Amino acid sequence: MRRVITGIDDAGKSIVISDTEVPGVRPPVLGGATLIDLFGEDAIPTVPNDGSHDESRRYFPAAPEGYRFTVFSYPPQGAMTVPDDLDAAIAESARLAPGLEDAVASPDGWHYTATVDLEYVIEGEFTLYLDEGASTTLHKGDSIVHCGEKHSWVNTGNTQATMLLVFIGARQDEARFGPYKIEH
């Protein structure tokens, strides 16, 4: 995916800082999903700035001040792959998308993060699962705002499904999950 970053040079002039292709990665723990990590920081930004960012940052924000901008593409449920060696899949996923393993480290995909997630379905459909079997299906053009709840996703359609994601760092009170807390 093409990513253009703009900023301000030393003279105060608006410029294009970079115009590059950002490759996707396929962490094995996600069963065939592709992540394209576009931008993010772990501090409140000051603008204007030079458009630089840390390419080696963790996948999810590491602080309440952090944010991420990413694209998530998921194969249909029938095309998902389950890793034979979960420990090796988690290790490789951590290499490809550091920090992903903090939230998604089980083959069932259930997770929660210390973020508010703003998500928009670009193509396909995703079924969102919540506790006690609650679910809702989102289609192209739909959006969702996650407020730190435990959830999992499945692409119940017949084609690839893609979402645009913005993660905004938040403070997390895991005590609110009670018996639904995930053991990490």
Side-chain angles (χ1 to χ4, degrees):
M1 176 175 285
R2 181 180 179 204
R3 177 188 63 198
V4 176
I5 300 176
T6 61
I8 302 288
D9 69 11
D10 292 338
K13 180 181 169 188
S14 301
I15 60 169
V16 171
I17 300 294
S18 69
D19 185 342
T20 60
E21 292 292 320
V22 179
V25 297
R26 287 196 170 177
V29 77
L30 295 181
T34 301
L35 305 174
I36 304 172
D37 183 15
L38 295 169
F39 199 81
E41 294 184 72
D42 284 322
I44 297 171
T46 299
V47 293
N49 63 44
D50 67 1
S52 62
H53 66 285
D54 180 6
E55 293 282 352
S56 65
R57 68 192 175 282
R58 297 177 68 75
Y59 184 71
F60 292 107
E65 300 82 14
Y67 64 93
R68 299 294 186 270
F69 178 46
T70 188
V71 173
F72 176 78
S73 188
Y74 218 70
Q77 187 173 14
M80 295 289 295
T81 56
V82 177
D84 292 329
D85 182 342
L86 184 58
D87 291 336
I90 290 170
E92 177 63 5
S93 297
R95 186 187 72 75
L96 293 171
L100 181 67
E101 74 282 2
D102 295 343
V104 184
S106 65
D108 63 7
W110 283 94
H111 64 285
Y112 51 80
T113 57
T115 58
V116 172
D117 304 351
L118 312 175
E119 303 178 350
Y120 176 80
V121 180
I122 297 170
E123 66 181 353
E125 66 182 42
F126 289 90
T127 298
L128 169 70
Y129 291 96
L130 302 171
D131 288 323
E132 307 213 359
S135 68
T136 188
T137 300
L138 292 101
H139 303 274
K140 178 180 178 177
D142 291 343
S143 64
I144 186 167
V145 177
H146 288 285
C147 295
E149 87 288 352
K150 184 174 76 173
H151 63 279
S152 69
W153 290 108
V154 174
N155 175 352
T156 52
N158 297 319
T159 62
Q160 194 79 5
T162 302
M163 273 197 278
L164 176 66
L165 312 173
V166 175
F167 302 132
I168 302 169
R171 289 182 178 80
Q172 185 176 59
D173 178 6
E174 289 192 74
R176 293 189 66 199
F177 289 104
Y180 296 102
K181 181 179 177 187
I182 296 173
E183 296 301 321
H184 298 281

